[in-house]
Amino acid sequence: MSGLYGILWQEAVVFRRKFWATTLGNMVSPILYLIAFGWGLGGSVQMNGMSYMAYIIPGIIGMNTMMISFSNTGSSINISRLFYKTFESYMISPINMTVYALGKIIAGALYGAYSALLIIILVSVFTTDLAITPYFVLVALLNCLVFSAMGFFVGLLVNSHSDMSKFTSFVITPMSFLCGTFFPVDKMPEVLSWIIYLLPLTHTNIALRSAGESPEQMALHVGVLVAYFIVLFVLGAHHCKNVE
Amino acid sequence: MLNIVDLTKEYKNVTAVDHLNLTIEDGEFFGLLGPNGAGKTTTVRMISTITPKTSGDIVIDGESIDRNLTTIKAKIGVVPQQNNLENEMSAWENLEVHGILYHIGKEKRRQKIAELLEFTGLTERKDDLAKTYSGGMKRKLMIARALLHEPEMLLLDEPTVGLDAGARRKMWDLLKRLKSNGLTVLLTTHYIEEAEVLCDRVGLINKGKLVQLDTPLNLIEEVGKVTVEYFEDGKTHEEFFRTREEANTYAGTIEGEVRIRPSNLEDVFLKFTNRRVES
Ligand SMILES: Nc1ncnc2c1ncn2[C@@H]1O[C@H](COP(=O)(O)OP(=O)(O)OP(=O)(O)O)[C@@H](O)[C@H]1O
Ligand SMILES: [Mg+2]
């Protein structure tokens, strides 16, 4: 496992060096969403019997961990492969490429988890509505892993940085708006909501709110996320062994 | 020992390496010499498992190499043509990560790193980020990194490209020291002088094919030790001769400006590939 340690050590060194830029950068968009939708719009809106602010905080955590995990792993792999060529130094080294995939995905997920932590600290200043349960933590972490694994796979697959941002525009951004971040999925036309129920972020957002759900439903969300993670991880690790 | 058997790499529009056969002995300093696009980098990248081969075999100490065979990869050290350092990390950190990935124990790792920083003259700058390094320093750091896990064989893809004359000479001295330590080296270059100074044997490669293979001296002798160079019809011509007398006789028959000089590898190259090597 010294391969895994090596990759995480490398990521930790870079994280420490960019600590403030990462920390401040991670806080900008959640703060904007909280201001715009929580205070601005939210003052006059009630959602499912609670204040809109209380409603969107878990959604913002779901959305933001998705974005941060995906983009950190995705662009890190993509740039390292196409631009800095550091990816090659790992291909040459005796590290098993599955371990490499695991290391990079964990690192990206930790960036996502860190951003979630920042949001939690941020909102705890002016609301006590957010209940952090072990289930909440589990779902948030799974969400980070799913989208970090997706970033890894897409970063390997796509052969230019602009295609990377196209994927973000066509897949990641639509998910952030449609998967129950800002409003419940059942407000959507029925056919559309079926499709949306297949997407991982939908399950994350519902699970993070977990209001009035049965244990079976709660388990289903976890199951969907785990399944997504396994499929994306296997795809990424497999592709890693054959990529040029 | 490195055995390359019928190694071929086909891209969509070109055959970059075309049925290449080559054996490099332990302790040998081997030069792969060729013009731009000859297939040098592709060969090195296939040996280092970055580029999958189309067909053929690469065998190190009796074992075929493959990206997913982790043990055999530890026997090779690679210095690619293009910088692939972690730019946001210092020299020391770059080496430390490499050491961890190659399973070198902490104590030995730290000691080797200090030693190699000294060897490459980077000790004073070891805590500066790699992105702040000059081209020559980056190359040296990459060599230090490739040596850290004590490989049996070093692959150097154009180690002195982009270095000024002084830095190139220092790099040669460093490579000569490696050679005297008994390391097996495969070096690619299009600097003829580099191959003449460093290599035990030289393979001339053009359009993915091996054109000639011998010691630099033998290659020069084979072509003719003496070159007569003259200018006619708007072009420079070269003729090669075994002895100075023959060359003198021939030079006497030519009108206009004639120069008689010892042949070098560039002449060999020219003769076998019919094109001038850019340098
Ligand atoms: N990824 C690739 N896709 C398509 N063709 C490629 C690729 N890499 C190399 N080639 C082609 O393979 C041939 C050999 O290239 P290679 O880089 O091995 O040459 P080289 O001898 O290293 O040249 P140089 O001295 O310029 O570094 C060239 O025709 C090049 O265009
Ligand atoms: Mg090259």
Side-chain angles (χ1 to χ4, degrees):
Chain A
M1 281 292 98
S2 75
L4 191 60
Y5 169 68
I7 287 169
L8 293 177
W9 187 83
Q10 186 265 320
E11 292 279 346
V13 168
V14 175
F15 176 75
R16 216 168 34 204
R17 197 150 280 144
K18 294 186 185 166
F19 178 77
W20 287 109
T22 306
T23 303
L24 296 175
N26 277 355
M27 295 199 325
V28 174
S29 71
I31 289 179
L32 289 177
Y33 281 119
L34 286 169
I35 291 175
F37 297 108
W39 281 341
L41 190 74
S44 53
V45 182
Q46 287 264 316
M47 187 72 75
N48 295 356
M50 55 173 129
S51 77
Y52 189 58
M53 181 70 111
Y55 179 80
I56 62 160
I57 287 169
I60 287 173
I61 291 175
M63 176 184 81
N64 211 57
T65 50
M66 167 182 78
M67 302 255 208
I68 300 281
S69 304
F70 176 82
S71 66
N72 262 292
T73 312
S75 58
S76 148
I77 291 298
N78 201 247
I79 293 174
S80 125
R81 207 162 60 83
L82 301 174
F83 187 62
Y84 289 127
K85 305 288 176 188
T86 44
F87 183 71
E88 292 178 357
S89 61
Y90 293 97
M91 283 209 265
I92 295 167
S93 81
I95 185 172
N96 183 314
M97 289 317 263
T98 306
V99 174
Y100 173 78
L102 190 65
K104 284 291 174 185
I105 290 170
I106 290 176
L110 287 176
Y111 271 95
Y114 179 62
S115 79
L117 185 69
L118 289 175
I119 297 174
I120 291 168
I121 293 171
L122 209 64
V123 299
S124 70
V125 175
F126 45 89
T127 174
T128 50
D129 293 337
L130 191 65
I132 311 279
T133 59
Y135 181 70
F136 183 97
V137 174
L138 173 73
V139 169
L141 285 178
L142 275 174
N143 193 56
C144 294
L145 284 169
V146 166
F147 286 101
S148 183
M150 187 184 285
F152 186 84
F153 182 50
V154 174
L156 275 185
L157 217 55
V158 152
N159 279 324
S160 77
H161 201 61
S162 71
D163 285 347
M164 230 22 231
S165 34
K166 268 185 214 144
F167 187 91
T168 303
S169 318
F170 285 112
V171 180
I172 299 294
T173 310
M175 271 205 276
S176 64
F177 283 95
L178 300 177
C179 293
T181 304
F182 300 105
F183 55 87
V185 177
D186 49 30
K187 301 239 157 128
M188 298 288 250
E190 200 175 339
V191 180
L192 195 55
S193 75
W194 289 344
I195 299 171
I196 290 170
Y197 269 116
L198 297 176
L199 299 173
L201 184 64
T202 311
H203 290 271
T204 302
N205 280 338
I206 296 172
L208 289 180
R209 294 192 178 103
S210 81
E213 285 208 305
S214 67
E216 291 78 30
Q217 284 170 309
M218 288 168 75
L220 173 74
H221 303 313
V222 171
V224 169
L225 291 175
V226 168
Y228 262 104
F229 173 69
I230 290 174
V231 169
L232 288 166
F233 175 70
V234 169
L235 282 173
H238 177 75
H239 199 62
C240 208
K241 293 193 162 143
N242 305 304
V243 73
E244 287 196 34
Chain B
M1 195 171 75
L2 172 70
N3 252 313
I4 295 174
V5 187
D6 265 339
L7 185 63
T8 301
K9 177 69 189 181
E10 280 164 15
Y11 286 111
K12 218 178 273 163
N13 302 318
V14 280
T15 305
V17 177
D18 194 354
H19 294 92
L20 187 70
N21 285 287
L22 202 60
T23 299
I24 297 171
E25 302 291 341
D26 287 341
E28 186 174 24
F29 205 117
F30 189 92
L32 207 52
L33 186 63
N36 290 131
K40 304 181 295 293
T41 297
T42 308
T43 304
V44 169
R45 286 169 67 89
M46 283 192 284
I47 301 171
S48 46
T49 76
I50 298 168
T51 300
K53 54 189 191 278
T54 306
S55 64
D57 209 0
I58 300 163
V59 182
I60 292 179
D61 297 337
E63 225 183 322
S64 284
I65 65 161
D66 180 278
R67 186 182 300 169
N68 302 312
L69 286 178
T70 52
T71 46
I72 199 152
K73 290 204 285 187
K75 291 186 178 180
I76 326 175
V78 187
V79 181
Q81 184 166 1
Q82 203 181 356
N83 167 26
N84 68 352
L85 296 164
E86 292 281 0
N87 281 314
E88 298 296 333
M89 297 207 297
S90 70
W92 187 86
E93 287 162 349
N94 265 283
L95 295 171
E96 174 78 357
V97 168
H98 184 90
I100 297 171
L101 292 179
Y102 280 76
H103 315 295
I104 309 170
K106 185 167 175 178
E107 208 166 302
K108 179 161 183 213
R109 188 168 78 221
R110 299 280 158 92
Q111 183 203 330
K112 277 295 286 183
I113 290 174
E115 219 175 279
L116 283 164
L117 285 168
E118 204 58 45
F119 179 67
T120 46
L122 294 173
T123 305
E124 269 174 36
R125 302 284 305 269
K126 74 181 165 61
D127 293 323
D128 294 355
L129 296 190
K131 67 178 175 190
T132 67
Y133 274 26
S134 75
M137 290 165 73
K138 283 179 185 161
R139 294 250 118 204
K140 284 182 187 163
L141 178 54
M142 279 159 70
I143 291 181
R145 187 180 61 174
L147 292 172
L148 183 60
H149 57 284
E150 301 179 328
E152 292 168 18
M153 165 174 284
L154 192 61
L155 306 175
L156 295 163
D157 197 359
E158 311 213 12
T160 61
V161 79
L163 301 192
D164 66 37
R168 178 169 306 154
R169 248 154 246 287
K170 281 192 198 134
M171 185 64 80
W172 287 352
D173 286 340
L174 194 148
L175 295 177
K176 278 185 198 161
R177 269 184 277 153
L178 289 180
K179 181 178 172 172
S180 62
N181 291 346
L183 194 69
T184 312
V185 178
L186 169 60
L187 164 132
T188 82
T189 183
H190 47 217
Y191 297 120
I192 306 280
E193 199 191 345
E194 188 159 294
E196 263 185 280
V197 170
L198 295 170
C199 297
D200 299 321
R201 280 194 309 155
V202 172
L204 298 186
I205 176 172
N206 194 25
K207 295 184 180 144
K209 286 201 172 82
L210 200 62
V211 206
Q212 272 298 315
L213 175 72
D214 214 328
T215 64
L217 267 181
N218 282 351
L219 285 172
I220 291 167
E221 290 220 347
E222 192 175 326
V223 167
K225 271 186 294 195
V226 190
T227 301
V228 176
E229 204 179 85
Y230 59 97
F231 192 76
E232 200 176 86
D233 302 332
K235 272 197 295 198
T236 303
H237 298 262
E238 278 106 358
E239 292 292 337
F240 307 107
F241 299 92
R242 307 224 158 270
T243 63
R244 195 153 261 272
E245 288 77 57
E246 288 174 41
N248 279 335
T249 315
Y250 181 78
T253 67
I254 289 172
E255 293 175 23
E257 200 180 317
V258 185
R259 199 158 82 89
I260 302 176
R261 59 168 176 79
S263 303
N264 57 33
L265 262 190
E266 180 157 6
D267 301 313
V268 176
F269 196 84
L270 208 69
K271 175 137 182 201
F272 285 110
T273 62
N274 287 322
R275 74 184 264 200
R276 201 167 261 286
V277 189
E278 313 75 299
S279 59

